[in-house]
Amino acid sequence: MKYKKRLLYIENVSAERIAKKFGTPCYVYSYDKISNNINNFKKNFKTISPLICFSVKSNSNLKILSLINKFGLGADVVSKGELIRALKAKIKPEKIVFSGVGKTIDELKFAISKKILLINTESENEIVEIEKIAKKNKKKINIGIRLNPNIDAQTIKKISTGKKENKFGVTEKKFLELLKKYKRSKFISIICLSVHIGSQITSHLPYKNMLNVVNKIIQKSKYKFKYLDLGGGMGIQYGNNLNNLDYSKYNQLIKSFLKKNNSKIIFEPGRSIVGNAGYLISKITYIKEADSKNFVILDSAMNDLIRPALYGAKHRIIPSKLNRKKISKKHEFVGPICETTDTFLNVANYQKIKQGDIIIICDVGAYGMVLSSNYNLRPKPVEILVNKSTTKIITKRQKLKNII
Ligand SMILES: *Cc1c(COP(=O)(O)O)cnc(C)c1O
């Protein structure tokens, strides 16, 4: 993404052109960004040769998943729907892991029938159900057990998952109990310890604490895990937060961990693979002048991108056409939905903008379109993939007649 002669380009196509051709609101993904993110991830963790399972919940677009498959990644799924989608994208079952606290019996049966790499269980009840299915099928099933390491991921409270008050995983005590109880089971093979402490983690220190806890528990259990699934959570740069996780520091921590415990590492990154590769192109419907600020009312809303309303996330909003006129009065970019939380960003000293202008909400490739809804009976936006000078629709815009 860069400005050329004051016009914003995503790869070789201007945002203005995309808006004209496909309408707004419009999600756009850059092929180049996704491939760079994947290559960069692989390069930084090369020395530990992990299995990288893309977190499908961050972006489940079929075309994006096919692309991710092309780069050799596996998938981390959290529902039957995501599993079917991942298989449809030709991701091999032996590269798929299934996570989540509430997998239904139907979902477990389906996952087992597809012979995926492993099911990461999160409670004893779930293990009991898997054992029942296994007995019936006279098969031995590979599982992981998710540990809740009681670690503060130092991220937004609403996306922290590794503290004991969060619903995810089992405590250290329970983990050891389950291991003892099920390690000689004829129907279950515990091959993995899994953890995932949260999302948008920008410091390596929470991971360091996590690895210390995992190391201690493995020493205590004297059990050899074939896999160690460390989850995802690698943070990226958003808005004013210009930190991102230093992969090399994290890699170093894992390397020294592996000297004591020899397991194959699994990662489940989502945001760090697609987050900064997505843009939401929107048009300004009105600018409403109020006393202390101007409301810039967009044609995209919280039904298209809910992260600001849901987590207080801040996404950069940039103009498609640069000019040199600055307005000191504050601007608040909002959507048209009848909710006070349908607001994106407050900015001061924005450039001069007017009704009909195109703006771009940045870094929406993860947890953007997947969280969109039809609230206010608004159709979901179109999704476009840009590769150099070509643009391709990868999901059509919903038609009003199909949702009414
Ligand atoms: C959401 C989730 C991920 C992906 O998290 P990112 O922050 O997008 O990398 C990975 N593993 C599990 C179990 C998850 O729930």
Side-chain angles (χ1 to χ4, degrees), residues 55 57 76 99 146 196 199-200 232-234 268-271 367:
S55 172
K57 79 171 193 282
D76 164 43
S99 311
R146 178 162 172 185
H196 170 73
S199 205
Q200 185 52 19
M234 297 80 176
E268 304 168 344
R271 192 191 309 272
Y367 309 105

